[in-house]
Amino acid sequence: MKKAVVVFSGGQDSTTCLVQALQEFDEVHAITFDYGQRHKLEIEVAQSLGTKLGITAHKVMDVGLLNELAVSSLTRDDIAVSNELQENGLPNSFVPGRNILFLTLAGIYAYQIGANTVITGVCETDFSGYPDCRNDFVKAMNTALVQGMDKELDIRTPLMWLNKAQTWALADQQGALELVRHQTLTCYNGIIGDGCGECPACQLRQAGLNEYLDNQDEIMKELVAKQ
C-alpha cells in the first residue's frame, strides 16, 4: 500500500499537491501546522478541504514554539505584510526555520505511519524569495532525514519547477481548478478565494491565474512537457 504525507496549509499550492497525491497514493495523510500564524482561518480551511477531499487522516500539530523564535509579518499582528524587501534581501513574511521544522516533523510522521513519501508545495520558479523553498534546501533536508532516521524517504516537490500559471494548469488537469480557486486560502490578509488582491501572495496567484485563463492550451502543453 502506497502512503504519502502532504504538508498541507489549505493554500493553492498545497491543495493542488494534495489533489494530485490522491490520484497516486492509496493513503494520503495531511499534516497542518499551527504556529500562531497571522490567520487561524488557514487551519480551518485546511481541515474543511481535507474532509471534502476524503483524505485518510489529518493531523494538526501545535508548533507554537516557532512563533516565539521567528519574528515575521506572518507571526506578528503588529507587523504589516510588506511588498518591499528587507535589508537582508528577504520579504518580511519569511518565517526563518519554518520549512526546516515542517519537513522534519512531516518526516517523523511518515516514519510512524510507514510512509516513504513526503510531499510539499514549495517552488523555486515563482517563489516569494524564501530560501527554504529552493530545491537545494529540500535535497539537503531529504538527505538529513534519511540519514537521521535510517529510513527510505522521498521528499517530493511537484511544483518546484512550475510557474504559477502552470500550477493552475495542474489543478485544472486534476479537475480541481474551481475548488482551488474558490475554496483555498493563500492571501496574507486572510481572505479565502481570490483574496485581497494587494498582498504579494495574492498578486502572484492572480497573475498566474490570468495568464493561464488567457492561454490555457499552450500552458497545459508546457505543463505536460515538464511532467
Side-chain angles (χ1 to χ4, degrees), residues 40-115:
K40 289 287 186 181
L41 181 60
E42 179 179 299
I43 298 168
E44 296 174 17
V45 168
Q47 290 175 313
S48 175
L49 285 168
T51 299
K52 182 186 295 289
L53 292 169
I55 59 178
T56 303
H58 192 177
K59 180 178 286 295
V60 177
M61 293 200 66
D62 180 1
V63 290
L65 76 165
L66 180 61
N67 189 286
E68 294 180 30
L69 296 171
V71 178
S72 160
S73 62
L74 297 192
T75 61
R76 299 291 185 273
D77 290 337
D78 59 347
I79 301 177
V81 178
S82 172
N83 290 319
E84 303 297 324
L85 296 180
Q86 302 174 98
E87 290 184 3
N88 61 6
L90 299 175
N92 76 349
S93 54
F94 173 59
V95 182
R98 180 172 60 174
N99 283 342
I100 297 172
L101 180 62
F102 288 3
L103 289 176
T104 299
L105 294 175
I108 296 170
Y109 183 38
Y111 185 101
Q112 295 299 327
I113 65 170

Side-chain angles (χ1 to χ4, degrees), residues 17-36:
C17 289
L18 183 67
V19 170
Q20 184 184 42
L22 286 166
Q23 305 299 319
E24 181 178 351
F25 293 88
D26 301 304
E27 288 188 10
V28 175
H29 299 248
I31 185 166
T32 300
F33 298 102
D34 180 354
Y35 59 96

Side-chain angles (χ1 to χ4, degrees), residues 8-11 32-34 36-49 58 182-193 195:
F8 185 49
S9 69
T32 300
F33 298 102
D34 180 354
Q37 53 264 59
R38 195 177 187 93
H39 298 289
K40 289 287 186 181
L41 181 60
E42 179 179 299
I43 298 168
E44 296 174 17
V45 168
Q47 290 175 313
S48 175
L49 285 168
H58 192 177
H182 297 295
Q183 298 184 42
T184 62
L185 175 58
T186 303
C187 176
Y188 289 156
N189 290 313
I191 301 174
I192 296 172

Side-chain angles (χ1 to χ4, degrees), residues 11 42 47 59 62 64 81 97 109 112 118 120-122 127-128 153 157 164 168 170 172 216 223:
E42 179 179 299
Q47 290 175 313
K59 180 178 286 295
D62 180 1
V81 178
Y109 183 38
Q112 295 299 327
V118 169
T120 178
V122 298
F127 74 134
S128 301
L153 186 70
T157 53
K164 266 293 180 283
W168 282 111
L170 178 59
D172 199 9
Q216 294 185 38
L223 171 65

